[in-house]
mmCIF file with all atom_site columns, all heavy atoms in Angstrom:
data_model
loop_
_atom_site.group_PDB
_atom_site.id
_atom_site.type_symbol
_atom_site.label_atom_id
_atom_site.label_alt_id
_atom_site.label_comp_id
_atom_site.label_asym_id
_atom_site.label_entity_id
_atom_site.label_seq_id
_atom_site.pdbx_PDB_ins_code
_atom_site.Cartn_x
_atom_site.Cartn_y
_atom_site.Cartn_z
_atom_site.occupancy
_atom_site.B_iso_or_equiv
_atom_site.pdbx_formal_charge
_atom_site.auth_seq_id
_atom_site.auth_comp_id
_atom_site.auth_asym_id
_atom_site.auth_atom_id
_atom_site.pdbx_PDB_model_num
ATOM 1  N N   . LYS P 1 13  ? 102.839 60.194 82.469  1.00 97.00 ? 13  LYS P N   1
ATOM 2  C CA  . LYS P 1 13  ? 102.429 61.598 82.353  1.00 97.00 ? 13  LYS P CA  1
ATOM 3  C C   . LYS P 1 13  ? 102.995 62.179 81.069  1.00 97.00 ? 13  LYS P C   1
ATOM 4  O O   . LYS P 1 13  ? 104.193 62.134 80.816  1.00 97.00 ? 13  LYS P O   1
ATOM 5  C CB  . LYS P 1 13  ? 102.953 62.401 83.553  1.00 97.00 ? 13  LYS P CB  1
ATOM 6  C CG  . LYS P 1 13  ? 102.596 63.876 83.489  1.00 97.00 ? 13  LYS P CG  1
ATOM 7  C CD  . LYS P 1 13  ? 101.119 64.097 83.709  1.00 97.00 ? 13  LYS P CD  1
ATOM 8  C CE  . LYS P 1 13  ? 100.730 65.540 83.496  1.00 97.00 ? 13  LYS P CE  1
ATOM 9  N NZ  . LYS P 1 13  ? 99.285  65.740 83.698  1.00 97.00 ? 13  LYS P NZ  1
ATOM 10 N N   . ARG P 1 56  ? 97.667  65.313 87.398  1.00 96.00 ? 56  ARG P N   1
ATOM 11 C CA  . ARG P 1 56  ? 96.876  64.117 87.060  1.00 96.00 ? 56  ARG P CA  1
ATOM 12 C C   . ARG P 1 56  ? 97.644  63.243 86.082  1.00 96.00 ? 56  ARG P C   1
ATOM 13 O O   . ARG P 1 56  ? 98.203  63.763 85.113  1.00 96.00 ? 56  ARG P O   1
ATOM 14 C CB  . ARG P 1 56  ? 95.562  64.543 86.404  1.00 96.00 ? 56  ARG P CB  1
ATOM 15 C CG  . ARG P 1 56  ? 94.788  65.596 87.161  1.00 96.00 ? 56  ARG P CG  1
ATOM 16 C CD  . ARG P 1 56  ? 94.284  65.051 88.452  1.00 96.00 ? 56  ARG P CD  1
ATOM 17 N NE  . ARG P 1 56  ? 93.547  66.053 89.221  1.00 96.00 ? 56  ARG P NE  1
ATOM 18 C CZ  . ARG P 1 56  ? 93.342  65.940 90.532  1.00 96.00 ? 56  ARG P CZ  1
ATOM 19 N NH1 . ARG P 1 56  ? 93.830  64.923 91.195  1.00 96.00 ? 56  ARG P NH1 1
ATOM 20 N NH2 . ARG P 1 56  ? 92.654  66.855 91.176  1.00 96.00 ? 56  ARG P NH2 1
ATOM 21 N N   . ASN P 1 88  ? 108.685 77.375 98.508  1.00 95.00 ? 88  ASN P N   1
ATOM 22 C CA  . ASN P 1 88  ? 107.846 78.530 98.167  1.00 95.00 ? 88  ASN P CA  1
ATOM 23 C C   . ASN P 1 88  ? 106.799 78.717 99.252  1.00 95.00 ? 88  ASN P C   1
ATOM 24 O O   . ASN P 1 88  ? 105.806 78.010 99.272  1.00 95.00 ? 88  ASN P O   1
ATOM 25 C CB  . ASN P 1 88  ? 107.162 78.292 96.820  1.00 95.00 ? 88  ASN P CB  1
ATOM 26 C CG  . ASN P 1 88  ? 108.166 78.146 95.707  1.00 95.00 ? 88  ASN P CG  1
ATOM 27 O OD1 . ASN P 1 88  ? 109.082 78.947 95.584  1.00 95.00 ? 88  ASN P OD1 1
ATOM 28 N ND2 . ASN P 1 88  ? 108.038 77.108 94.914  1.00 95.00 ? 88  ASN P ND2 1
ATOM 29 N N   . GLU P 1 97  ? 104.891 81.399 112.412 1.00 96.00 ? 97  GLU P N   1
ATOM 30 C CA  . GLU P 1 97  ? 103.506 81.336 111.922 1.00 96.00 ? 97  GLU P CA  1
ATOM 31 C C   . GLU P 1 97  ? 103.342 80.245 110.881 1.00 96.00 ? 97  GLU P C   1
ATOM 32 O O   . GLU P 1 97  ? 102.337 79.523 110.861 1.00 96.00 ? 97  GLU P O   1
ATOM 33 C CB  . GLU P 1 97  ? 103.102 82.695 111.336 1.00 96.00 ? 97  GLU P CB  1
ATOM 34 C CG  . GLU P 1 97  ? 102.880 83.756 112.396 1.00 96.00 ? 97  GLU P CG  1
ATOM 35 C CD  . GLU P 1 97  ? 102.754 85.171 111.815 1.00 96.00 ? 97  GLU P CD  1
ATOM 36 O OE1 . GLU P 1 97  ? 103.147 85.375 110.663 1.00 96.00 ? 97  GLU P OE1 1
ATOM 37 O OE2 . GLU P 1 97  ? 102.272 86.042 112.534 1.00 96.00 ? 97  GLU P OE2 1
ATOM 38 N N   . LYS P 1 128 ? 110.302 87.029 109.055 1.00 93.00 ? 128 LYS P N   1
ATOM 39 C CA  . LYS P 1 128 ? 109.326 86.793 107.992 1.00 93.00 ? 128 LYS P CA  1
ATOM 40 C C   . LYS P 1 128 ? 109.975 85.977 106.884 1.00 93.00 ? 128 LYS P C   1
ATOM 41 O O   . LYS P 1 128 ? 111.170 86.133 106.602 1.00 93.00 ? 128 LYS P O   1
ATOM 42 C CB  . LYS P 1 128 ? 108.846 88.121 107.416 1.00 93.00 ? 128 LYS P CB  1
ATOM 43 C CG  . LYS P 1 128 ? 107.920 88.843 108.357 1.00 93.00 ? 128 LYS P CG  1
ATOM 44 C CD  . LYS P 1 128 ? 107.244 90.008 107.670 1.00 93.00 ? 128 LYS P CD  1
ATOM 45 C CE  . LYS P 1 128 ? 106.310 90.697 108.649 1.00 93.00 ? 128 LYS P CE  1
ATOM 46 N NZ  . LYS P 1 128 ? 105.829 91.976 108.155 1.00 93.00 ? 128 LYS P NZ  1
ATOM 47 N N   . ASN I 2 279 ? 111.297 93.031 109.326 1.00 79.00 ? 279 ASN I N   1
ATOM 48 C CA  . ASN I 2 279 ? 111.579 91.684 108.882 1.00 79.00 ? 279 ASN I CA  1
ATOM 49 C C   . ASN I 2 279 ? 111.306 90.643 109.949 1.00 79.00 ? 279 ASN I C   1
ATOM 50 O O   . ASN I 2 279 ? 111.293 89.461 109.683 1.00 79.00 ? 279 ASN I O   1
ATOM 51 C CB  . ASN I 2 279 ? 113.033 91.562 108.419 1.00 79.00 ? 279 ASN I CB  1
ATOM 52 C CG  . ASN I 2 279 ? 113.173 92.087 107.005 1.00 79.00 ? 279 ASN I CG  1
ATOM 53 O OD1 . ASN I 2 279 ? 112.205 92.082 106.250 1.00 79.00 ? 279 ASN I OD1 1
ATOM 54 N ND2 . ASN I 2 279 ? 114.345 92.552 106.664 1.00 79.00 ? 279 ASN I ND2 1
ATOM 55 N N   . ASN I 2 385 ? 102.015 73.823 99.467  1.00 97.00 ? 385 ASN I N   1
ATOM 56 C CA  . ASN I 2 385 ? 102.215 73.504 100.880 1.00 97.00 ? 385 ASN I CA  1
ATOM 57 C C   . ASN I 2 385 ? 100.920 73.101 101.576 1.00 97.00 ? 385 ASN I C   1
ATOM 58 O O   . ASN I 2 385 ? 100.947 72.343 102.531 1.00 97.00 ? 385 ASN I O   1
ATOM 59 C CB  . ASN I 2 385 ? 102.817 74.700 101.625 1.00 97.00 ? 385 ASN I CB  1
ATOM 60 C CG  . ASN I 2 385 ? 104.198 75.011 101.116 1.00 97.00 ? 385 ASN I CG  1
ATOM 61 O OD1 . ASN I 2 385 ? 105.110 74.236 101.323 1.00 97.00 ? 385 ASN I OD1 1
ATOM 62 N ND2 . ASN I 2 385 ? 104.335 76.120 100.405 1.00 97.00 ? 385 ASN I ND2 1
ATOM 63 N N   . MET I 2 532 ? 89.340  71.511 90.277  1.00 96.00 ? 532 MET I N   1
ATOM 64 C CA  . MET I 2 532 ? 89.460  70.254 91.024  1.00 96.00 ? 532 MET I CA  1
ATOM 65 C C   . MET I 2 532 ? 90.099  69.162 90.184  1.00 96.00 ? 532 MET I C   1
ATOM 66 O O   . MET I 2 532 ? 90.699  68.244 90.700  1.00 96.00 ? 532 MET I O   1
ATOM 67 C CB  . MET I 2 532 ? 88.060  69.811 91.439  1.00 96.00 ? 532 MET I CB  1
ATOM 68 C CG  . MET I 2 532 ? 87.903  69.547 92.906  1.00 96.00 ? 532 MET I CG  1
ATOM 69 S SD  . MET I 2 532 ? 87.833  71.076 93.795  1.00 96.00 ? 532 MET I SD  1
ATOM 70 C CE  . MET I 2 532 ? 86.122  71.485 93.539  1.00 96.00 ? 532 MET I CE  1
ATOM 71 N N   . ASP I 2 535 ? 95.727  69.805 86.517  1.00 96.00 ? 535 ASP I N   1
ATOM 72 C CA  . ASP I 2 535 ? 97.044  69.874 87.135  1.00 96.00 ? 535 ASP I CA  1
ATOM 73 C C   . ASP I 2 535 ? 97.220  71.237 87.779  1.00 96.00 ? 535 ASP I C   1
ATOM 74 O O   . ASP I 2 535 ? 96.727  72.233 87.260  1.00 96.00 ? 535 ASP I O   1
ATOM 75 C CB  . ASP I 2 535 ? 98.147  69.741 86.068  1.00 96.00 ? 535 ASP I CB  1
ATOM 76 C CG  . ASP I 2 535 ? 98.224  68.344 85.471  1.00 96.00 ? 535 ASP I CG  1
ATOM 77 O OD1 . ASP I 2 535 ? 97.483  67.462 85.935  1.00 96.00 ? 535 ASP I OD1 1
ATOM 78 O OD2 . ASP I 2 535 ? 99.021  68.160 84.540  1.00 96.00 ? 535 ASP I OD2 1
#
Side-chain angles (χ1 to χ4, degrees):
Chain P
K13 179 70 186 179
R56 310 293 179 200
N88 298 312
E97 287 168 343
K128 287 191 179 168
Chain I
N279 279 334
N385 295 292
M532 234 75 81
D535 290 356

